Amino acid sequence: MAESHCLLIFLAIFTSFLLRVNSHHNYKDALAKSIIFLEAQRSGKLPPNHRPRWRGDSALDDGKEAGVDLVGGYYDAGDNVKYGFPMAFTVTTMAWAAYFYEQEICDAGEMNHLLEGIKWGTDYLLKASAQHNRLFVQVGDPKMDHECWVRPEIMKTPRTVLEINQNLPGTEIAAETAAALAASSIVFRNVDCAYSETLLNRAKTLFQFAEEYQGTFDGACPFYCSYSGYNDELLWGAAWLYIATKDPIYLQYIHEESTSAVVYEFSWDLKYAGVQVLLSQLYWEGQKEFHALQQQADGYICAVLPESPYRQPFMTPGGLIHFRDGANSQYVTSTAFLFSVYSDLLARYDVQVLCGEKMFTHVDLMRFAKQEMDYLLGNNPAHRSIMVGFGHNPPLHAHHRGASVPVTAPEDVTCGMSFVYWYNTDAPNPNELTGAILGGPDRADVFIDSRVNSSYTEPCTYINSLAIGVLAKLAKQAKHHEL
């Protein structure tokens, strides 16, 4: 009897292992839906071909109080505020995916959708930076917005405008916006040459502004405080401008005026690892002056890879990298994206990463990137997808105003009653927030699909923007294996 019981346990474990190893996801579908989520985050006058049909025009007077046109752009998460810092980072990382994984995204049939998404962001950033040494960085009053649970289409909370300028600098935001426009200029170079040139010229002036008037802007605190300072954004902006222009002035800045450091996180706040991976390609292409940055990129890989003797981040029992509760999925997709890109570079230039006495190949890096993305798509202890509208048992209660409030909701509901009707309920969201990768599980692999538990269920644009490139690569690999 005991032997039979042991055999059953062994078979169950073995079967679970086989399912984990052999399981696959429809990465092409996940890619398409990731971009659809970003469309659901659009603010302003929506185009006729807008795919999330439950969304409508919103915030059409944005900027009016400051005498400027700030209509458009993206809401960053589940609220109705437009924060310039994470919006610019979202655009930068969308552009990086389009730049590095152009063929894979084209093969999946998603490049036009992605370009439209990037342009929706860059059009807004051009408006926000139209005046010399003046950048509008936020629209909306976060405190009052968070006291009201209504769709952006019917919101009546103040659309307060914040800016940075010569007297009130915000180096992080100016440099990140420069990076976004520079990276996007590369993507549009063969699509719309005039628009690409406009983006690049504005990126140059913004970087000059960021460099000349240095200081941290804390107006977006406590929601988007820059804990890492602005040296990483200056390096990030200079790197993208150098790639876009090959102008020696940016090369000189990178080598003589910027600082860098080995880190194990890549996020809207901390860009060093992104720069290091980005410029490693130039090192292997022959620009040996980038050797130190390439070595730091290796250091990043060694600090994150679970099998490395130098690994620092916490890994959940189910195999998910975990930095902190509250939109932890952003670190999952950012890690997977950097590992995917670096894996491709290792393969292309036939190199490996040495961590102590352990050697890791491009296969090892991509295996980890795939593991992290697969976890979000359903390969986890809960056997459920963390992406809305995708896979098995996906979330139904995203912490998101637009998705949780019915399209037919009356406009005269008070802010207090809005929480009673649409926030503090167990009813599934009436509008599917297709493709949204939510905040994700905690350190114990527990995921609670509850609207009131925002750390688990709130989406963010930069979670999805960082998923695009690696999903496109996985889609191509899956297609290749099927042939």
Side-chain angles (χ1 to χ4, degrees), residues 65 78-83 138-152 154-162 219-223 401 413-419:
E65 76 163 44
D79 54 16
N80 299 328
V81 182
K82 294 192 305 200
Y83 296 98
Q138 185 173 307
V139 184
D141 182 317
K143 184 177 184 298
M144 296 191 72
D145 180 86
H146 284 79
E147 292 174 354
C148 210
W149 192 267
V150 297
R151 303 171 63 239
I154 61 173
M155 64 180 168
K156 295 183 176 66
T157 48
R159 302 302 289 169
T160 310
V161 176
L162 297 184
C221 283
F223 304 101
R401 287 159 175 75
V413 174
T414 64
C415 285
M417 290 306 295
S418 69
F419 283 89

Side-chain angles (χ1 to χ4, degrees), residues 18-35:
L18 286 178
L19 285 171
R20 195 176 182 89
V21 170
N22 296 324
S23 64
H24 65 278
H25 301 282
N26 187 338
Y27 299 111
K28 183 179 177 181
D29 185 45
L31 168 63
K33 288 178 175 176
S34 284
I35 298 172

Side-chain angles (χ1 to χ4, degrees), residues 6 34 68 95 109 115 120 144-145 171 226 231 234 260 272 285 298 335 374 399 406 448 452 454 460 471:
C6 290
S34 284
V68 292
L115 290 177
W120 193 267
M144 296 191 72
D145 180 86
T171 304
S226 177
N231 287 316
L234 285 169
S260 187
Y272 288 128
E285 287 176 353
D298 274 6
T335 300
D374 282 348
H399 179 95
I448 302 173
V452 301
S454 61
C460 301
L471 285 173

Side-chain angles (χ1 to χ4, degrees), residues 50-103:
H50 196 254
R51 291 186 289 180
R53 303 307 300 175
W54 50 271
R55 278 301 321 281
D57 300 340
S58 64
L60 298 181
D61 290 326
D62 275 5
K64 195 172 183 179
E65 76 163 44
V68 292
D69 176 10
L70 294 176
V71 177
Y74 289 97
Y75 303 114
D76 74 301
D79 54 16
N80 299 328
V81 182
K82 294 192 305 200
Y83 296 98
F85 195 19
M87 189 194 305
F89 180 68
T90 296
V91 173
T92 309
T93 47
M94 290 169 74
W96 191 359
Y99 161 66
F100 194 84
Y101 285 113
E102 177 183 6
Q103 191 57 57

Side-chain angles (χ1 to χ4, degrees), residues 24 221 245 256 285 302 325 339 368 378 407 426 428 445 464 466:
H24 65 278
C221 283
T245 65
E256 296 181 11
E285 287 176 353
C302 292
D325 290 331
F339 268 65
F368 179 58
V407 174
D426 293 328
D445 294 304
N464 276 61
L466 284 158

Side-chain angles (χ1 to χ4, degrees), residues 156-217:
K156 295 183 176 66
T157 48
R159 302 302 289 169
T160 310
V161 176
L162 297 184
E163 66 175 88
I164 58 174
N165 51 50
Q166 293 164 258
N167 300 317
L168 186 65
T171 304
E172 293 95 338
I173 310 176
E176 181 60 63
T177 307
L181 297 178
S184 300
S185 76
I186 301 170
V187 174
F188 282 102
R189 190 166 290 162
N190 296 323
V191 178
D192 186 336
C193 190
Y195 187 67
S196 172
E197 196 67 24
T198 298
L199 295 175
L200 187 55
N201 288 335
R202 187 64 56 81
K204 292 175 182 177
T205 59
L206 278 168
F207 184 78
Q208 185 177 356
F209 170 48
E211 187 184 6
E212 189 171 347
Y213 300 98
Q214 295 189 16
T216 290
F217 174 76

